[in-house]
Amino acid sequence: MLCPRGHATTSEGKKLRLFSRYTCDVCQERVSHRGGFYHKCTAGCDFRVCGICKKEAEKSNYIVEPCTFTFPSGLGPFEIRSTRLQSHDLNRATATGRRRDDMDMEDADWALRESFFQKSASLRQCWSALHQNGVAMEDSGGQRFISVQVSPVAPVNLSLEVRAANRIPDIPGIMVAWMYALQLEWPMIFSMIDQREDDAAAEWNLLKVGGFVYLQPSEDGRPQVVCANSIAFHPNGCMQFSAAQPWCSEWTSKLVESRRFHKVTAQKWAAAGACYVCWVCPEEKLLRPGARHGGFAFLFHELDEEDVAGRDRFFEVVGKPLGAAYAGASAGSPVQASMAHESTLCAMSFRVVGEWPATSRHMEASQRRCFKAASNGRWALLAHILAEFPQLATAKDDSGQTVLHCIALGRPKTRRAAELLRLVHSHHGDLEAKNNEGQRAYELGDLVFKAQACEIWGLSPDLFADPEVWFDYWDVNKDGHLSPEELIPALTAAYEVGDLGRQWIESYVNTHYREMAALDPNALLTKNAFLENDGLLHKLQSSEEFISLRGQEDSPRIKMPALFRTEGRKKPTAADKEAVTVFSARLEEFRKKFGWVPGHAAPSSSRSLQVPAPFAGGDIDPRRRLKAAERMLAVSFAKTTARSGKEWLKGFSIEFAGDDAGIDHGGLTKAWVQEVGHALWGSEAFFDMTSAGSFLKPDSTTDMLLHAFHVPSESLYRWLGRFLAYALYQQCVLDCALSPWALRWLMRVTETQAALPALLKEAAGSWRRDGSDGSRIATISGSVLLSHMDDVGLPPETPLRVSGQHIEATFDGETVTAVMSEGRLHWSDGDVWMRCSEPVLLAPLPVWEQTPTGDDQLLEDLATMDPAMANSLWRVRYEMPEEDLQWLTFSYGGKELVPGGDDLEVTADNRAEYVRLCCKAALLYTSQRALQAFGDGFFEVLPSDMFVGAPVDIFQWLLLGNAHISDTQMEKLAQIVIPEGLVPKHLKDAAEVRDSASWIFEIIRRSDDNFRSRLFEFWTGNGRLPLGGVEAIEPKPRIQVMVSQEKQYVAVDYVWEVQVSGGWRQYSAHMSGNLNNMFEAGLRMCEFQSGQSKIIIDLGANLQINTRTGERRRVRRRPLQSHPRALADTTRERSSDCEKDRLDR
């Protein structure tokens, strides 16, 4: 067995290793499923074949399935026609006419005698034309012949059944060869003869296209011709072929050397691009795994050229008895008569290149046959007729229909339909042609037909009339979703906009693609996300922005719609919610490394943080609540501002001063986060208000008043970053009024940090010249160097590159390099920089690409802080006319964007640079130090690499959660709480307890959002839900149903005892019942008054503590050893009490 390049494969199989995943290149199955042994190419080609396929190939036992697609995807099927060629009409001869006995693997010159052309009148005319043109020759014996090319002879190895179907003589040792078509100027030959039809169609096919010659060894060992068969196309022909198989250039070289390839003469094959054909003999040891029954190889280029396009292919003969029923039917039988009639209707001879129908009657008959084949669904026959007669692609029948109408109504299978449509299109078929009823083929077809027609004819379907077809048409990559690159031209064509409209659509898609694919969890615009009720199609139908685009070019005075919405925050998409779930789980795993477990007390490594208690009245008195919250903020800042990021990760156990709230299981932390957030955003003391929320104060604000103390602004914002990171770390949600850009900035930093080389991370920070007065001259942030040499305008940005161990930068057209050594930067121009005393920067400066997509992203980021300004700058960038630009200069907020910016006008050439500088001035440089401190503080607590790959607004979704608590969420919460969240646990299945809990949820369902928010704040410590819904709340909410003390709803199977000097003393039945209820509820501490003493029972430590004397005693819980009858009586009594209580209610 040979590999595709013609090399032998190893004879001994190699056993598959453990966990190997090799696949057989023949059967495409895993080798592990095919015996576990495989063979490789001996020459080192990347080719493996399983042991079973190798054995089957060596036994010629592999399976070849038929393919009926039109050439070049398929070949045939062929109907075999017997000719009247006899043994003396064809024999093997030398160039001088002498017979040859040697049989080699080269094509040989054979002599086709004059006697063959005496079979009919048309053949006699053909011989005369050949003789007149000097084609005929004469041998030494005076016999005339023409030279024909015949392939090497090989034995026939088909079964008897298949031989009978293909009219192969049943003779022992029968052999086969292929006689190639005469290489003539056939149009000239046809012009010299009368082409009236006679009974020589089979013989003409042999001369024009070629045919099979069958031979048998004679007594002297010479091959003797028995007969010859020609071929004609038939959709159900007996001889069928495999689908097109790849062909290697090595095989071409070998066959060209042996003169095996010959010019293609058939019009159908030549029109598809085929140039040469070769018959590959049965069992010829050339192909993988071998041409067992022979086949045809086609080249689509000249013999001295390479197969650059990879179109060369091979079709192998199928050895299955597909047409045996026809051949085996008895003569005169109904089956034979029916098939003979079908053959007459469907079989068609091949036409040669340049051949035209002999008469108009012949052309009319071909047209009738074409439309009959199309009407009856004979798609293979229709494809053959169209290939033979291209002009029929535009013909019409009596009803005015074209073949396109027939294809649209017949609805062939997808691949066959595509094949036919491409064939009609290549022959200039008119998709706009109408039948007598005024209908176009496009209107009659189904969705598949419309999509394929639009793709092949290059037409764009209507977005709203045929949305599915529209989607399939614009899905160029056929990957099941529309990418931004596909969606932009699709919407441009759908709304028929010009250059400005296209630019608006491009910017909209670049900035809103995630929202356009909001329903897909992978943020891809799939067909479902496009067609569903709330999908993109629905938005486009109701979108005022897109509706106003139509006709925009005809009304230039009307401005383009606003690109960015000015109200509210972005709603999370399905992909955002999925990302929140993923990264919440990642945070949970991160917390476990430091000992944090949901629903449990803070780990022992945490620090106790005592802060003032919040105002007990809540929002009843907003002023007093804010004042108490500000005290809590001041104390929290003072006690934690010096803590490192690692200490923040170990965490804090919150204690409210003067409040006996108990141990912090997470609820106190949530309350602390909520109140500190209220202090931060309850007034405008620490932030400036923008249209999109609060933002950090400008760098000109150097300090702020915190309660009664002045603190540096950078210190407060660095603490703010740590605080928000800790809130995420503890999975708290809060009403964070911070501008979305401040949180998106963190993700931009994360993206930049992930792509940053290690050398630039090491060089990050502020630098001064060695020996200078200590003032900074530059800052390296990410891959950008900011110069501070000139305070006028924005700090100039210089891109940095890394080459080996050197940092490269280009100043004024000259490239300089720097090397880090002992904490200094040594530049190639002799300059040496030292670090300033400022801390190392953990948050690198984000960088936006200077491309249209990068500009759109920059504007989108600006819209999260100031959407109105972002819309205005987009208009400056693309829409504002030049006469209006002259009123703008390179300044922003009273400061020059570049030196001399007040005198530099904005023009059409520099407007893009102006917009970029305005965006950066607003986003980065107005509050540069504050943003830097905020980012550094955040990443001191949570490492940036934890969020690589997250959506840009992940921090916003994690922190804000969802303020709306819907009925659906309440239903889910009820399912979580009832019964598993009911306390005491041993009564969770009691009908009365469940009913009581259900009443609570019924009351909640009837309430408004404000009541639900206040209830959740009381219940879970926060009035907002996590974005993951109630399922994401940790610890899980519970409801404790208080049981009447007069009725014994307590466990009677256990009693509690306290250790005294004389042994163990049992608590009262009532006290034991209460302790049982608390124990089942998972509570730890119990307090009660005994005389003048306050007694605390620690159920977890099994201790009783007298707070006045400090005395400690051990307590225990043990089963009650009761008599079964007494226990039964108690149970009956308890049931009776329950029934009485129900009736009383």
Side-chain angles (χ1 to χ4, degrees):
M1 182 179 182
L2 306 180
C3 77
R5 303 182 70 85
H7 307 133
T9 53
T10 55
S11 57
E12 293 185 6
K14 191 171 182 179
K15 190 173 183 180
L16 200 66
R17 291 183 177 181
L18 190 64
F19 303 120
S20 294
R21 295 294 184 266
Y22 290 153
T23 301
C24 174
D25 291 330
V26 176
C27 65
Q28 303 302 318
E29 296 283 343
R30 285 194 175 179
V31 176
S32 58
H33 299 165
R34 302 275 289 176
F37 287 84
Y38 66 93
H39 302 260
K40 298 178 63 176
C41 172
T42 55
C45 297
D46 187 19
F47 172 73
R48 295 182 182 86
V49 60
C50 66
I52 296 178
C53 284
K54 181 175 175 65
K55 290 180 181 178
E56 290 178 350
E58 292 173 348
K59 295 178 181 179
S60 294
N61 212 13
Y62 56 92
I63 298 174
V64 176
E65 294 294 337
C67 175
T68 59
F69 286 107
T70 304
F71 188 84
S73 298
L75 181 66
F78 293 157
E79 180 189 64
I80 303 301
R81 296 180 172 180
S82 298
T83 68
R84 288 172 286 182
L85 184 141
Q86 299 176 358
S87 60
H88 62 271
D89 294 331
L90 181 66
N91 50 46
R92 199 164 186 174
T94 62
T96 59
R98 293 180 304 163
R99 303 189 179 196
R100 293 187 348 184
D101 297 329
D102 58 305
M103 296 174 60
D104 51 31
M105 291 309 294
E106 293 185 0
D107 286 356
D109 293 327
W110 288 58
L112 183 61
R113 301 293 172 177
E114 182 181 1
S115 57
F116 172 76
F117 294 91
Q118 305 306 314
K119 312 295 183 184
S120 72
S122 60
L123 290 175
R124 286 192 291 272
Q125 293 181 23
C126 178
W127 174 259
S128 175
L130 295 175
H131 188 269
Q132 292 179 29
N133 285 278
V135 178
M137 295 182 290
E138 188 174 321
D139 63 12
S140 57
Q143 297 182 3
R144 291 186 296 181
F145 68 95
I146 62 172
S147 178
V148 294
Q149 292 291 314
V150 179
S151 72
V153 179
V156 175
N157 54 12
L158 295 168
S159 66
L160 293 177
E161 195 176 13
V162 178
R163 293 186 191 189
N166 288 283
R167 304 179 187 273
I168 301 174
D170 186 10
I171 299 174
I174 191 72
M175 295 179 291
V176 65
W178 176 263
M179 190 184 96
Y180 291 94
L182 300 182
Q183 302 293 323
L184 302 174
E185 292 292 335
W186 283 105
M188 182 182 64
I189 299 296
F190 291 144
S191 67
M192 300 175 65
I193 62 176
D194 184 3
Q195 296 189 52
R196 288 179 297 179
E197 296 182 3
D198 55 15
D199 58 350
E203 287 75 14
W204 275 104
N205 286 343
L206 182 66
L207 296 175
K208 295 190 299 182
V209 182
F212 293 101
V213 178
Y214 295 99
L215 310 95
Q216 65 176 349
S218 60
E219 295 179 356
D220 58 1
R222 298 175 181 178
Q224 182 179 4
V225 174
V226 176
C227 66
N229 295 336
S230 63
I231 61 173
F233 174 82
H234 192 292
N236 297 321
C238 298
M239 179 169 284
Q240 298 199 20
F241 296 84
S242 68
Q245 301 179 22
W247 183 262
C248 291
S249 58
E250 288 84 353
W251 302 341
T252 301
S253 302
K254 293 179 181 180
L255 293 176
V256 169
E257 292 174 2
S258 302
R259 301 183 303 160
R260 296 280 296 278
F261 278 102
H262 299 272
K263 272 285 187 181
V264 168
T265 57
Q267 166 70 27
K268 179 179 181 180
W269 301 339
C275 299
Y276 292 89
V277 63
C278 169
W279 167 256
V280 179
C281 300
E283 300 292 355
E284 188 163 345
K285 301 300 181 182
L286 180 67
L287 304 180
R288 171 183 64 87
R292 180 177 49 176
H293 303 298
F296 289 97
F298 288 87
L299 302 183
F300 289 74
H301 54 86
E302 294 299 325
L303 296 179
D304 58 349
E305 296 176 349
E306 293 291 332
D307 180 24
V308 179
R311 298 190 64 196
D312 294 351
R313 57 201 62 205
F314 171 70
F315 303 93
E316 185 176 354
V317 174
V318 175
K320 289 183 176 181
L322 300 171
Y326 174 78
S330 59
S333 67
V335 175
Q336 177 78 348
S338 175
M339 291 186 175
H341 178 66
E342 182 183 358
S343 177
T344 303
L345 292 176
C346 297
M348 290 192 66
S349 300
F350 288 94
R351 296 169 58 244
V352 296
V353 177
E355 180 183 0
W356 288 90
T359 62
S360 59
R361 183 175 62 85
H362 187 191
M363 189 63 201
E364 292 173 0
S366 299
Q367 181 171 330
R368 286 194 300 272
R369 181 178 291 185
C370 174
F371 280 99
K372 187 170 184 178
S375 301
N376 295 337
R378 299 273 186 174
W379 308 121
L381 178 60
L382 175 63
H384 177 80
I385 296 174
L386 291 174
E388 293 284 350
F389 301 98
Q391 60 270 38
L392 294 180
T394 57
K396 291 187 176 183
D397 63 3
D398 296 338
S399 62
Q401 293 194 141
T402 65
V403 290
L404 280 173
H405 289 83
C406 298
I407 296 171
L409 292 170
R411 299 182 180 180
K413 293 183 179 180
T414 303
R415 183 175 174 184
R416 177 68 76 182
E419 179 187 56
L420 289 169
L421 291 177
R422 287 192 178 92
L423 190 60
V424 174
H425 178 259
S426 66
H427 297 327
H428 311 291
D430 186 7
L431 193 63
E432 297 295 322
K434 298 181 179 180
N435 58 16
N436 294 345
E437 297 179 0
Q439 296 173 311
R440 297 181 300 143
Y442 184 88
E443 299 167 355
L444 299 175
D446 58 4
L447 292 178
V448 174
F449 177 88
K450 291 178 179 179
Q452 292 176 333
C454 289
E455 178 182 358
I456 294 170
W457 265 264
L459 304 176
S460 175
D462 188 86
L463 168 60
F464 301 110
D466 298 309
E468 291 188 53
V469 178
W470 184 87
F471 185 96
D472 292 333
Y473 173 77
W474 290 104
D475 184 12
V476 179
N477 296 331
K478 305 304 177 188
D479 51 7
H481 71 273
L482 294 182
S483 64
E485 294 75 17
E486 295 169 331
L487 187 59
I488 291 169
L491 293 176
T492 301
Y495 286 94
E496 302 175 358
V497 297
D499 293 339
L500 181 59
R502 177 189 172 86
Q503 183 56 60
W504 187 91
I505 290 176
E506 181 177 347
S507 297
Y508 189 92
V509 172
N510 286 339
T511 56
H512 294 76
Y513 181 79
R514 198 174 185 89
E515 297 172 66
M516 300 172 89
L519 300 183
D520 186 73
N522 298 315
L524 298 175
L525 186 57
T526 60
K527 186 177 287 189
N528 288 337
F530 177 72
L531 295 174
E532 285 185 6
N533 291 336
D534 294 327
L536 178 60
L537 179 62
H538 174 76
K539 295 177 182 177
L540 293 176
Q541 290 172 328
S542 58
S543 169
E544 295 183 3
E545 293 94 340
F546 278 91
I547 292 174
S548 64
L549 288 179
R550 290 190 182 274
Q552 190 72 36
E553 301 302 313
D554 300 329
S555 305
R557 294 185 179 180
I558 301 177
K559 292 184 177 181
M560 299 299 293
L563 192 66
F564 305 103
R565 290 188 293 270
T566 57
E567 72 285 349
R569 296 174 183 257
K570 281 187 176 181
K571 294 182 179 180
T573 65
D576 293 326
K577 294 178 181 178
E578 187 70 22
V580 166
T581 302
V582 171
F583 287 95
S584 294
R586 191 176 296 181
L587 276 170
E588 185 60 39
E589 292 298 319
F590 188 63
R591 293 176 76 239
K592 289 180 180 178
K593 295 180 181 179
F594 295 89
W596 291 93
V597 179
H600 291 70
S604 58
S605 59
S606 64
R607 287 179 175 270
S608 175
L609 179 60
Q610 190 178 64
V611 295
F615 175 58
D619 289 334
I620 296 177
D621 189 338
R623 186 184 62 81
R624 292 181 63 186
R625 182 190 175 188
L626 180 60
K627 188 174 181 180
E630 288 176 343
R631 285 199 302 269
M632 184 185 295
L633 170 62
V635 173
S636 299
F637 175 82
K639 289 187 175 183
T640 61
T641 188
R643 302 296 180 191
S644 65
K646 190 173 182 180
E647 289 179 295
W648 279 78
L649 290 175
K650 291 180 180 179
F652 307 108
S653 177
I654 303 299
E655 297 179 10
F656 290 144
D659 186 14
D660 195 12
I663 299 175
D664 184 9
H665 283 68
L668 297 183
T669 297
K670 292 180 180 179
W672 173 67
V673 168
Q674 198 71 18
E675 290 305 308
V676 170
H678 183 72
L680 288 169
W681 293 290
S683 67
E684 299 183 14
F686 309 116
F687 302 95
D688 286 341
M689 295 302 298
T690 68
S691 58
S694 303
F695 194 65
L696 313 182
K697 287 187 176 294
D699 289 341
S700 57
T701 303
T702 58
D703 62 75
M704 286 178 282
L705 185 65
L706 181 60
H707 195 48
F709 304 95
H710 286 274
V711 297
S713 300
E714 291 184 44
S715 299
L716 181 61
Y717 289 139
R718 187 182 300 274
W719 183 89
L720 173 66
R722 295 171 184 161
F723 171 74
L724 290 183
Y726 187 73
L728 284 178
Y729 178 67
Q730 294 293 351
Q731 297 184 336
C732 299
V733 292
L734 71 158
D735 190 9
C736 178
L738 202 58
S739 165
W741 164 241
L743 300 174
R744 181 177 280 209
W745 144 274
L746 299 172
M747 272 310 303
R748 294 292 183 223
V749 166
T750 298
E751 295 167 353
T752 304
Q753 186 79 4
L756 205 59
L759 189 56
L760 290 181
K761 293 180 182 178
E762 183 183 357
S766 297
W767 297 85
R768 60 182 177 87
R769 280 198 175 93
D770 190 10
S772 66
D773 58 358
S775 59
R776 64 173 183 165
I777 60 170
T779 298
I780 295 179
S781 182
S783 58
V784 174
L785 186 146
L786 302 175
S787 174
H788 303 299
M789 298 297 293
D790 194 345
D791 291 337
V792 179
L794 302 183
E797 297 181 4
T798 302
L800 298 177
R801 306 174 298 277
V802 172
S803 177
Q805 296 299 318
H806 294 79
I807 299 175
E808 295 182 351
T810 302
F811 297 98
D812 299 328
E814 181 181 354
T815 300
V816 293
T817 61
V819 179
M820 284 283 295
S821 177
E822 297 180 354
R824 287 179 169 84
L825 272 177
H826 298 264
W827 292 93
S828 56
D829 61 354
D831 219 359
V832 179
W833 292 1
M834 297 181 62
R835 286 192 184 276
C836 297
S837 57
E838 300 176 1
V840 176
L841 304 182
L842 298 179
L845 196 69
V847 176
W848 293 268
E849 295 181 1
Q850 292 193 11
T851 62
T853 303
D855 291 345
D856 289 338
Q857 188 183 76
L858 192 56
L859 286 169
E860 181 192 8
D861 288 342
L862 179 61
T864 61
M865 185 175 72
D866 192 340
M869 180 182 177
N871 286 323
S872 298
L873 287 177
W874 187 90
R875 299 188 190 282
V876 172
R877 175 70 172 85
Y878 297 109
E879 190 177 20
M880 185 175 287
E882 291 190 38
E883 57 267 21
D884 293 341
L885 289 176
Q886 62 181 339
W887 300 101
L888 300 176
T889 60
F890 273 73
S891 59
Y892 170 80
K895 292 186 178 181
E896 294 181 332
L897 297 173
V898 295
D902 286 337
D903 300 323
L904 181 61
E905 293 183 356
V906 178
T907 65
D909 295 331
N910 62 20
R911 66 165 76 189
E913 181 64 19
Y914 169 76
V915 170
R916 278 194 292 269
L917 290 175
C918 285
C919 290
K920 290 183 177 181
L923 292 174
L924 302 179
Y925 298 116
T926 303
S927 306
Q928 180 185 1
R929 286 182 172 273
L931 267 178
Q932 186 70 56
F934 172 67
D936 289 346
F938 187 94
F939 293 117
E940 282 179 14
V941 178
L942 293 179
S944 61
D945 56 4
M946 180 181 294
F947 300 95
V948 173
V952 290
D953 292 316
I954 183 70
F955 297 127
Q956 179 178 336
W957 311 134
L958 285 170
L959 281 172
L960 286 178
N962 191 355
H964 176 60
I965 305 172
S966 63
D967 290 341
T968 303
Q969 292 296 321
M970 293 309 306
E971 290 291 341
K972 292 181 179 179
L973 182 60
Q975 296 172 8
I976 293 173
V977 172
I978 304 175
E980 297 302 324
L982 294 179
V983 178
K985 290 185 178 180
H986 65 277
L987 295 178
K988 68 179 182 179
D989 294 323
E992 291 83 356
V993 173
R994 288 196 179 194
D995 289 344
S996 300
S998 299
W999 294 338
I1000 295 176
F1001 286 101
E1002 185 63 29
I1003 295 171
I1004 297 175
R1005 291 189 192 97
R1006 297 178 183 178
S1007 62
D1008 57 14
D1009 281 345
N1010 185 50
F1011 177 84
R1012 294 181 183 185
S1013 178
R1014 294 298 304 274
L1015 176 65
F1016 265 77
E1017 185 175 0
F1018 168 77
W1019 193 356
T1020 66
N1022 200 299
R1024 308 172 73 92
L1025 287 179
L1027 199 61
V1030 294
E1031 297 95 332
I1033 298 177
E1034 292 292 346
K1036 299 300 181 186
R1038 294 183 296 182
I1039 292 180
Q1040 181 166 358
V1041 179
M1042 304 304 294
V1043 181
S1044 174
Q1045 296 183 4
E1046 286 78 14
K1047 298 175 177 58
Q1048 296 297 316
Y1049 287 96
V1050 296
V1052 298
D1053 299 335
Y1054 292 89
V1055 295
W1056 286 81
E1057 297 176 337
V1058 60
Q1059 190 177 28
V1060 295
S1061 58
W1064 291 90
R1065 178 183 297 173
Q1066 185 174 320
Y1067 286 107
S1068 66
H1070 175 70
M1071 187 65 184
S1072 290
N1074 287 337
L1075 291 176
N1076 277 329
N1077 285 342
M1078 298 183 68
F1079 183 83
E1080 294 290 340
L1083 302 179
R1084 181 172 177 176
M1085 310 297 289
C1086 173
E1087 298 180 5
F1088 66 93
Q1089 195 75 22
S1090 177
Q1092 299 297 321
S1093 300
K1094 181 179 179 181
I1095 306 298
I1096 296 177
I1097 299 178
D1098 188 338
L1099 301 182
N1102 289 333
L1103 285 176
Q1104 173 183 292
I1105 306 170
N1106 189 319
T1107 58
R1108 185 174 64 85
T1109 64
E1111 181 184 13
R1112 293 171 175 252
R1113 297 177 183 270
R1114 292 186 56 80
V1115 297
R1116 70 181 183 182
R1117 181 176 184 246
R1118 66 176 182 84
L1120 179 63
Q1121 304 296 328
S1122 301
H1123 191 276
R1125 180 176 177 182
L1127 182 60
D1129 292 341
T1130 304
T1131 304
R1132 283 196 298 270
E1133 180 183 353
R1134 180 168 38 174
S1135 300
S1136 176
D1137 289 341
C1138 290
E1139 180 65 19
K1140 183 176 181 298
D1141 181 70
R1142 186 181 67 81
L1143 293 175
D1144 289 342
R1145 290 200 303 272

